[in-house]
Amino acid sequence: MSPVPRPEKPTGRFRRMLGRLSSSQEDLESEELREDTETAGCTRIDDCRDREIVTVTGTLRTVTLRPRAGVPALEAELFDGSAALDVVWLGRRSIIGIEPGRKVIASGRISMSRGRRVLFNPKYELRPLGRE
């Protein structure tokens, strides 16, 4: 006798709450960032391709000063829950508001450098620090 296929269990409010309780903090933050990307109407970083003009949003994980060919360059890693990309401002040592933990919307042309996605000198918008 063959087993009777069971219908998939519905994902109700209780199941979602139970899933949140058993998820790690990092998983919850990634899920929230993916939802923010969708809400803002931006492209997921994971979906960005080389030489494509995109608008992405996420949280800055790191901000460092790294000279490139003798020119100062402010580099930041932007994470949106799906993937990360490097945002580089050439000729800048610092930018007010660009700091780890800050949410940003950035627009520009994606390029690939050493196997990583990079946005050079993007247009950017700082998002509010608190809940919107």
Side-chain angles (χ1 to χ4, degrees):
M1 194 164 153
S2 65
V4 178
R6 296 177 114 182
E8 299 234 357
K9 294 184 180 178
T11 55
R13 195 178 316 166
F14 179 72
R15 258 204 201 286
R16 284 192 306 265
M17 184 180 71
L18 190 60
R20 284 185 172 272
L21 289 174
S22 63
S23 297
S24 71
Q25 185 65 28
E26 188 176 317
D27 291 340
L28 294 174
E29 289 172 0
S30 293
E31 180 181 334
E32 184 179 317
L33 287 170
R34 285 190 298 270
E35 289 172 3
D36 282 351
T37 300
E38 203 172 291
T39 303
C42 296
T43 306
R44 288 180 28 178
I45 293 173
D46 197 34
D47 294 337
C48 296
R49 301 292 166 239
D50 191 25
R51 307 298 301 152
E52 184 178 24
I53 296 175
V54 296
T55 299
V56 294
T57 187
T59 300
L60 298 176
R61 282 183 167 172
T62 61
V63 178
T64 57
L65 177 63
R66 280 200 190 119
R68 288 179 176 247
V71 176
L74 185 65
E75 290 188 15
E77 181 184 54
L78 184 70
F79 180 70
D80 76 343
S82 68
L85 67 76
D86 295 328
V87 182
V88 179
W89 288 274
L90 298 171
R92 302 295 300 263
R93 294 185 190 281
S94 67
I95 299 173
I96 295 175
I98 299 296
E99 56 197 27
R102 187 68 187 249
K103 290 187 178 185
V104 175
I105 296 176
S107 301
R109 187 177 301 273
I110 293 283
S111 63
M112 297 296 283
S113 176
R114 299 183 189 128
R116 289 185 54 95
R117 294 175 183 93
V118 183
L119 269 178
F120 286 100
N121 296 323
K123 293 180 185 175
Y124 67 95
E125 176 184 329
L126 299 174
R127 309 261 325 260
L129 290 173
R131 282 278 182 190
E132 296 169 19

